[in-house]
Amino acid sequence: EGEITVAIDTEKLRQDARWDGLKGYLSNTKLPKDQIIENYQHLWQIEYAFRIAKTDLKIRPIYHRLQKRIEAHICISFVAYKVFKELERQLKTKKATVSANKAIEIAENIHEITFKLPSGSKISKLLLLTEEQKYFASLVKI
């Protein structure tokens, strides 16, 4: 009911436009401004680590009551992340053509069978059925 009037404050618009394309940081720390900006630029690595933990490793918050269980959960999550990062590093070092996620998928489908011979000795054999599995085995030398 009634009339509505819309107005644009052009002076405010001009002041705001001066900041277009710029990025600013507000902080209450006593660190030098260069160090604040450098630390902020490394934030993507932390976000990437959380993304790996949530999606690739499927680590989810689990609510524990006991201190030992909380610490164990954090420890297991951290170790899983470190193993994943080591796999990424190894694949990069060997100039592999597969990602860490693809390598895990390939490894999950490699099976091993063990034969017990009449003499009592055992022989184990990896079943490398696909070219991807053979390629992965050559990377990790299994």
Side-chain angles (χ1 to χ4, degrees), residues 3 5 7 13 43 56 58 70-71 81 93 103-104 116 120 132 136 138:
E3 290 187 29
T5 305
L13 189 63
L43 183 62
D56 300 330
K58 296 176 181 66
I70 293 168
E71 291 170 1
Y81 175 71
T93 300
I104 291 168
K116 186 174 181 182
E132 283 181 329
F136 178 74
S138 73

PDB file of all heavy atoms in Angstrom, residues 3 5 7 13 43 56 58 70-71 81 93 103-104 116 120 132 136 138:
ATOM      1  N   GLU A   3       3.070   4.455  -1.871  1.00  0.00           N
ATOM      2  CA  GLU A   3       4.094   4.567  -2.907  1.00  0.00           C
ATOM      3  C   GLU A   3       5.473   4.191  -2.357  1.00  0.00           C
ATOM      4  O   GLU A   3       5.748   4.397  -1.185  1.00  0.00           O
ATOM      5  CB  GLU A   3       4.138   6.000  -3.436  1.00  0.00           C
ATOM      6  CG  GLU A   3       2.906   6.367  -4.249  1.00  0.00           C
ATOM      7  CD  GLU A   3       3.065   7.720  -4.905  1.00  0.00           C
ATOM      8  OE1 GLU A   3       4.207   8.108  -5.213  1.00  0.00           O
ATOM      9  OE2 GLU A   3       2.045   8.376  -5.106  1.00  0.00           O
ATOM     10  N   THR A   5       9.586   4.717  -3.083  1.00  0.00           N
ATOM     11  CA  THR A   5      10.561   5.525  -3.797  1.00  0.00           C
ATOM     12  C   THR A   5      11.933   4.872  -3.646  1.00  0.00           C
ATOM     13  O   THR A   5      12.330   4.511  -2.549  1.00  0.00           O
ATOM     14  CB  THR A   5      10.610   6.954  -3.208  1.00  0.00           C
ATOM     15  OG1 THR A   5       9.294   7.504  -3.222  1.00  0.00           O
ATOM     16  CG2 THR A   5      11.545   7.840  -3.988  1.00  0.00           C
ATOM     17  N   ALA A   7      16.019   5.368  -4.509  1.00  0.00           N
ATOM     18  CA  ALA A   7      17.021   6.354  -4.918  1.00  0.00           C
ATOM     19  C   ALA A   7      18.407   5.748  -4.752  1.00  0.00           C
ATOM     20  O   ALA A   7      18.639   4.952  -3.850  1.00  0.00           O
ATOM     21  CB  ALA A   7      16.885   7.614  -4.063  1.00  0.00           C
ATOM     22  N   LEU A  13      28.121   5.363  -4.284  1.00  0.00           N
ATOM     23  CA  LEU A  13      28.443   4.454  -5.376  1.00  0.00           C
ATOM     24  C   LEU A  13      29.848   4.736  -5.915  1.00  0.00           C
ATOM     25  O   LEU A  13      30.634   3.816  -6.137  1.00  0.00           O
ATOM     26  CB  LEU A  13      27.406   4.580  -6.488  1.00  0.00           C
ATOM     27  CG  LEU A  13      27.463   3.572  -7.607  1.00  0.00           C
ATOM     28  CD1 LEU A  13      27.214   2.172  -7.096  1.00  0.00           C
ATOM     29  CD2 LEU A  13      26.464   3.922  -8.690  1.00  0.00           C
ATOM     30  N   LEU A  43      46.398 -20.025   2.875  1.00  0.00           N
ATOM     31  CA  LEU A  43      45.145 -20.579   3.381  1.00  0.00           C
ATOM     32  C   LEU A  43      44.580 -21.646   2.451  1.00  0.00           C
ATOM     33  O   LEU A  43      43.970 -22.612   2.901  1.00  0.00           O
ATOM     34  CB  LEU A  43      44.125 -19.454   3.589  1.00  0.00           C
ATOM     35  CG  LEU A  43      42.779 -19.831   4.185  1.00  0.00           C
ATOM     36  CD1 LEU A  43      42.961 -20.409   5.578  1.00  0.00           C
ATOM     37  CD2 LEU A  43      41.876 -18.615   4.244  1.00  0.00           C
ATOM     38  N   ASP A  56      38.005 -37.237  -0.338  1.00  0.00           N
ATOM     39  CA  ASP A  56      38.810 -38.370  -0.778  1.00  0.00           C
ATOM     40  C   ASP A  56      38.961 -39.425   0.317  1.00  0.00           C
ATOM     41  O   ASP A  56      38.867 -40.621   0.052  1.00  0.00           O
ATOM     42  CB  ASP A  56      40.190 -37.898  -1.235  1.00  0.00           C
ATOM     43  CG  ASP A  56      40.092 -36.914  -2.383  1.00  0.00           C
ATOM     44  OD1 ASP A  56      39.131 -37.017  -3.161  1.00  0.00           O
ATOM     45  OD2 ASP A  56      40.958 -36.035  -2.500  1.00  0.00           O
ATOM     46  N   LYS A  58      37.083 -39.480   3.082  1.00  0.00           N
ATOM     47  CA  LYS A  58      35.761 -39.668   3.693  1.00  0.00           C
ATOM     48  C   LYS A  58      35.805 -39.603   5.229  1.00  0.00           C
ATOM     49  O   LYS A  58      35.128 -40.355   5.915  1.00  0.00           O
ATOM     50  CB  LYS A  58      35.132 -40.971   3.219  1.00  0.00           C
ATOM     51  CG  LYS A  58      34.862 -40.983   1.731  1.00  0.00           C
ATOM     52  CD  LYS A  58      34.323 -42.308   1.256  1.00  0.00           C
ATOM     53  CE  LYS A  58      34.092 -42.327  -0.212  1.00  0.00           C
ATOM     54  NZ  LYS A  58      35.279 -42.239  -1.046  1.00  0.00           N
ATOM     55  N   ILE A  70      38.926 -39.202  21.259  1.00  0.00           N
ATOM     56  CA  ILE A  70      39.035 -37.970  20.463  1.00  0.00           C
ATOM     57  C   ILE A  70      40.433 -37.885  19.867  1.00  0.00           C
ATOM     58  O   ILE A  70      40.604 -37.649  18.672  1.00  0.00           O
ATOM     59  CB  ILE A  70      38.730 -36.730  21.335  1.00  0.00           C
ATOM     60  CG1 ILE A  70      37.268 -36.725  21.776  1.00  0.00           C
ATOM     61  CG2 ILE A  70      39.075 -35.442  20.578  1.00  0.00           C
ATOM     62  CD1 ILE A  70      36.946 -35.719  22.861  1.00  0.00           C
ATOM     63  N   GLU A  71      41.444 -38.104  20.700  1.00  0.00           N
ATOM     64  CA  GLU A  71      42.831 -38.043  20.238  1.00  0.00           C
ATOM     65  C   GLU A  71      43.118 -39.129  19.206  1.00  0.00           C
ATOM     66  O   GLU A  71      43.812 -38.879  18.211  1.00  0.00           O
ATOM     67  CB  GLU A  71      43.788 -38.157  21.422  1.00  0.00           C
ATOM     68  CG  GLU A  71      43.752 -36.927  22.313  1.00  0.00           C
ATOM     69  CD  GLU A  71      44.508 -37.108  23.624  1.00  0.00           C
ATOM     70  OE1 GLU A  71      45.093 -38.197  23.844  1.00  0.00           O
ATOM     71  OE2 GLU A  71      44.521 -36.159  24.425  1.00  0.00           O
ATOM     72  N   TYR A  81      45.673 -38.728   6.116  1.00  0.00           N
ATOM     73  CA  TYR A  81      46.005 -37.582   5.260  1.00  0.00           C
ATOM     74  C   TYR A  81      47.475 -37.634   4.848  1.00  0.00           C
ATOM     75  O   TYR A  81      47.812 -37.410   3.682  1.00  0.00           O
ATOM     76  CB  TYR A  81      45.690 -36.269   5.982  1.00  0.00           C
ATOM     77  CG  TYR A  81      46.120 -35.053   5.208  1.00  0.00           C
ATOM     78  CD1 TYR A  81      45.448 -34.671   4.054  1.00  0.00           C
ATOM     79  CD2 TYR A  81      47.206 -34.294   5.614  1.00  0.00           C
ATOM     80  CE1 TYR A  81      45.854 -33.562   3.318  1.00  0.00           C
ATOM     81  CE2 TYR A  81      47.611 -33.193   4.887  1.00  0.00           C
ATOM     82  CZ  TYR A  81      46.935 -32.827   3.745  1.00  0.00           C
ATOM     83  OH  TYR A  81      47.336 -31.731   3.025  1.00  0.00           O
ATOM     84  N   THR A  93      56.739 -37.637  -8.195  1.00  0.00           N
ATOM     85  CA  THR A  93      58.164 -37.930  -8.376  1.00  0.00           C
ATOM     86  C   THR A  93      58.379 -38.869  -9.559  1.00  0.00           C
ATOM     87  O   THR A  93      59.324 -38.709 -10.328  1.00  0.00           O
ATOM     88  CB  THR A  93      58.752 -38.561  -7.097  1.00  0.00           C
ATOM     89  OG1 THR A  93      58.598 -37.636  -6.020  1.00  0.00           O
ATOM     90  CG2 THR A  93      60.207 -38.917  -7.249  1.00  0.00           C
ATOM     91  N   ALA A 103      44.841 -43.875  -8.393  1.00  0.00           N
ATOM     92  CA  ALA A 103      45.757 -44.919  -7.915  1.00  0.00           C
ATOM     93  C   ALA A 103      45.107 -45.739  -6.806  1.00  0.00           C
ATOM     94  O   ALA A 103      45.229 -46.967  -6.778  1.00  0.00           O
ATOM     95  CB  ALA A 103      47.060 -44.289  -7.429  1.00  0.00           C
ATOM     96  N   ILE A 104      44.405 -45.069  -5.910  1.00  0.00           N
ATOM     97  CA  ILE A 104      43.709 -45.782  -4.824  1.00  0.00           C
ATOM     98  C   ILE A 104      42.630 -46.683  -5.405  1.00  0.00           C
ATOM     99  O   ILE A 104      42.479 -47.835  -4.995  1.00  0.00           O
ATOM    100  CB  ILE A 104      43.128 -44.783  -3.805  1.00  0.00           C
ATOM    101  CG1 ILE A 104      44.257 -44.099  -3.034  1.00  0.00           C
ATOM    102  CG2 ILE A 104      42.153 -45.467  -2.858  1.00  0.00           C
ATOM    103  CD1 ILE A 104      43.818 -42.905  -2.217  1.00  0.00           C
ATOM    104  N   LYS A 116      48.787 -72.988  -1.214  1.00  0.00           N
ATOM    105  CA  LYS A 116      49.550 -73.852  -0.306  1.00  0.00           C
ATOM    106  C   LYS A 116      49.896 -75.110  -1.084  1.00  0.00           C
ATOM    107  O   LYS A 116      49.018 -75.851  -1.524  1.00  0.00           O
ATOM    108  CB  LYS A 116      48.734 -74.172   0.942  1.00  0.00           C
ATOM    109  CG  LYS A 116      49.526 -74.936   1.972  1.00  0.00           C
ATOM    110  CD  LYS A 116      48.731 -75.106   3.253  1.00  0.00           C
ATOM    111  CE  LYS A 116      49.573 -75.843   4.265  1.00  0.00           C
ATOM    112  NZ  LYS A 116      48.838 -76.075   5.504  1.00  0.00           N
ATOM    113  N   GLY A 120      53.852 -77.985   1.732  1.00  0.00           N
ATOM    114  CA  GLY A 120      53.579 -77.141   2.902  1.00  0.00           C
ATOM    115  C   GLY A 120      53.983 -75.691   2.704  1.00  0.00           C
ATOM    116  O   GLY A 120      53.587 -74.824   3.470  1.00  0.00           O
ATOM    117  N   GLU A 132      45.892 -50.883 -16.313  1.00  0.00           N
ATOM    118  CA  GLU A 132      46.021 -49.915 -15.209  1.00  0.00           C
ATOM    119  C   GLU A 132      46.674 -50.559 -13.990  1.00  0.00           C
ATOM    120  O   GLU A 132      47.521 -49.966 -13.343  1.00  0.00           O
ATOM    121  CB  GLU A 132      44.649 -49.364 -14.807  1.00  0.00           C
ATOM    122  CG  GLU A 132      44.086 -48.336 -15.741  1.00  0.00           C
ATOM    123  CD  GLU A 132      42.740 -47.828 -15.253  1.00  0.00           C
ATOM    124  OE1 GLU A 132      41.987 -48.585 -14.600  1.00  0.00           O
ATOM    125  OE2 GLU A 132      42.429 -46.657 -15.521  1.00  0.00           O
ATOM    126  N   PHE A 136      50.172 -49.469 -12.347  1.00  0.00           N
ATOM    127  CA  PHE A 136      50.283 -49.100 -10.928  1.00  0.00           C
ATOM    128  C   PHE A 136      51.314 -49.980 -10.224  1.00  0.00           C
ATOM    129  O   PHE A 136      52.129 -49.475  -9.448  1.00  0.00           O
ATOM    130  CB  PHE A 136      48.918 -49.223 -10.235  1.00  0.00           C
ATOM    131  CG  PHE A 136      48.967 -48.894  -8.769  1.00  0.00           C
ATOM    132  CD1 PHE A 136      49.100 -47.587  -8.352  1.00  0.00           C
ATOM    133  CD2 PHE A 136      48.902 -49.884  -7.821  1.00  0.00           C
ATOM    134  CE1 PHE A 136      49.164 -47.280  -6.996  1.00  0.00           C
ATOM    135  CE2 PHE A 136      48.967 -49.592  -6.468  1.00  0.00           C
ATOM    136  CZ  PHE A 136      49.096 -48.269  -6.061  1.00  0.00           C
ATOM    137  N   SER A 138      53.890 -51.341 -11.500  1.00  0.00           N
ATOM    138  CA  SER A 138      55.242 -50.919 -11.912  1.00  0.00           C
ATOM    139  C   SER A 138      55.669 -49.646 -11.182  1.00  0.00           C
ATOM    140  O   SER A 138      56.852 -49.453 -10.914  1.00  0.00           O
ATOM    141  CB  SER A 138      55.300 -50.708 -13.420  1.00  0.00           C
ATOM    142  OG  SER A 138      54.618 -49.527 -13.792  1.00  0.00           O
TER     143      SER A 138
END
